[in-house]
Amino acid sequence: MSAPTPSPGDPPTGTGFTGTDFTGQARPYAGGDPYADYRAPAPGDLPFAHLPDLADRRLGGSVTAASDEFFAERENLVRPEPAHFDPAAYGHKGKVMDGWETRRRRGTSADSPHPAEDDHDWAVVRLGVPGVVRGLVVDTAHFRGNHPAAVRVEATADPAGAGGWTELLPRTPVGGHAANAFPVRGVERRFTHLRLSQYPDGGVARLRAHGEPVADPAWLAALGTFDLAALEHGGAAEDASDRFYSPPAHVIHPGRSREMHEGWETRRRRDHGHDWLRLRLAGQGVIRAVEIDTGNYKGNAPGWATLSLLDADTPGAEWRTVLRGTPLRPDAVHRLVLPDAGPATHARLDVHPDGGVARLRLYGSLTEAGARRLAARYRELTG
């Protein structure tokens, strides 16, 4: 069995990306598909699109406070699905919008009716998974003439305020009905909270904070045995043969999937090959038990699965198969014990011939070397 060599996970394109430029209002809604004139970069142009959204509600992200939410609730900012627009939906406060929208700010008098230069609204987001933020998307979908003129994003690991806020995105103009995307460079810190400020007021549909999860090594040490592949522990989905219906990163999300789209599902193969996904573990560890969950895949689960491991910390190491041709049942949790699997930094799941996997859990413990490296990285990002 051949397998790609693990890489740091950098995307092949978009390395020179400096941000989108969708400033200004969008055209008024003219009926039909509300996303027809939505302004967004091509996915391949975003160098951070392969990284998880650390603010995702499914990972535990939450909007803990906001200066104002008169028209639309702050909690909408971290919903994972695209913003919905119903042109006929109105409530007792006006148009129902799927996002966070504040009332219109006013000046001090008829002679000075406009907001002051620094007037703004803000919302504080607690990341579902703390980590290093690599890119931001301030999505103003369906806010065509009621979006902010500019936004600013700051971050902290001390929401009480003693540690201060670090600027990730300076005050920057944004456009309406657009996915305004910005890379974050030169800020190698582990953060737990973001503060989104919009000048002077308006509406933002979603805030995405793509980045690298950084787990607390003291917590992992206390657990002892844990899921080495879990996103919340620092695991990552590096690559996959197919992501037609849903992305491979879903298999390392917390909890069980509730519907098919919350797992990883490939298209139906019409050749004699098979599909696979590759994971980077939280650190070098020894896996002792495997859980393959095909929940909600009732007529489209794979027939069989093979699991292979690689210790990239050992020069010259090659992939070794630890589970071969294991039958999988539809809509079921499969629990398997791995005797003497040895140390590993990466795992590869091959599914035959295709289908959907909801979750993959790789339970084990860090090696001494893996724990040391994780602790050193944590000190570097928090010291």
Side-chain angles (χ1 to χ4, degrees), residues 1-361:
M1 177 186 66
S2 64
T5 301
S7 64
D10 293 334
T13 62
T15 54
F17 180 79
T18 58
T20 55
D21 185 14
F22 296 131
T23 54
Q25 297 184 8
R27 295 178 181 176
Y29 175 62
D33 180 4
Y35 273 107
D37 60 340
Y38 177 62
R39 297 177 290 178
D45 290 340
L46 292 181
F48 48 79
H50 64 296
L51 297 173
D53 174 13
L54 303 181
D56 193 328
R57 177 65 180 166
R58 294 170 299 183
L59 303 181
S62 178
V63 188
T64 60
S67 60
D68 183 272
E69 49 184 330
F70 185 86
F71 286 112
E73 297 82 2
R74 67 197 191 207
E75 287 84 2
N76 290 329
L77 282 172
V78 296
R79 293 176 63 176
E81 69 273 13
H84 174 71
F85 181 73
D86 181 353
Y90 284 85
H92 63 280
K93 289 186 178 181
K95 185 73 186 72
V96 175
M97 296 296 290
D98 183 4
W100 167 53
E101 185 180 6
T102 68
R103 72 193 79 197
R104 300 189 187 209
R105 285 182 170 269
R106 297 294 184 241
T108 56
S109 68
D111 294 329
S112 182
H114 302 289
E117 176 66 20
D118 291 331
D119 282 354
H120 66 278
D121 287 311
W122 54 265
V124 174
V125 174
R126 184 188 68 235
L127 299 179
V129 179
V132 180
V133 179
R134 300 298 186 191
L136 297 163
V137 179
V138 181
D139 190 345
T140 58
H142 314 304
F143 290 97
R144 296 169 175 269
N146 50 349
H147 61 283
V151 297
R152 182 188 187 203
V153 180
E154 302 160 280
T156 186
D158 181 12
W165 292 83
T166 299
E167 188 173 74
L168 301 183
L169 177 68
R171 183 170 172 173
T172 303
V174 294
H177 195 44
N180 302 275
F182 310 97
V184 176
R185 298 189 176 100
V187 186
E188 290 291 322
R189 300 284 297 174
R190 177 186 187 266
F191 295 115
T192 61
H193 291 72
L194 301 180
R195 182 166 64 194
L196 169 66
S197 298
Q198 55 172 337
Y199 298 82
D201 52 40
V204 174
R206 300 289 190 267
L207 175 65
R208 310 296 190 202
H210 295 275
E212 300 168 7
V214 179
D216 184 346
W219 172 248
L220 299 183
L223 292 177
T225 296
F226 59 92
D227 180 4
L228 288 160
L231 189 150
E232 61 191 303
H233 297 149
E238 285 194 333
D239 202 359
S241 60
D242 185 282
R243 54 193 76 208
F244 186 84
Y245 288 112
S246 46
H250 283 181
V251 302
I252 57 175
H253 275 202
R256 294 201 68 199
S257 66
R258 296 165 298 177
E259 297 176 344
M260 282 201 308
H261 71 275
E262 294 185 355
W264 169 57
E265 184 183 2
T266 71
R267 73 193 84 194
R268 299 185 188 215
R269 277 195 169 264
R270 299 308 188 207
D271 57 21
H272 294 287
H274 69 277
D275 289 312
W276 54 266
L277 67 84
R278 189 182 72 230
L279 304 176
R280 186 184 72 244
L281 306 182
Q284 186 192 59
V286 176
I287 299 170
R288 293 188 291 272
V290 177
E291 186 176 285
I292 304 174
D293 184 355
T294 58
N296 300 303
Y297 294 111
K298 300 176 181 179
N300 48 352
W304 299 266
T306 295
L307 181 70
S308 302
L309 303 178
L310 172 71
D311 182 18
D313 289 344
T314 299
E318 296 182 352
W319 290 91
R320 59 189 188 277
T321 300
V322 293
L323 288 175
R324 187 183 299 277
T326 301
L328 297 182
R329 302 185 305 279
D331 195 27
V333 177
H334 308 78
R335 295 188 173 99
L336 305 157
V337 176
L338 290 185
D340 303 323
T345 58
H346 293 74
R348 171 174 160 142
L349 181 72
D350 291 76
V351 294
H352 302 268
D354 53 36
V357 174
R359 297 291 187 267
L360 174 62
R361 308 299 188 198

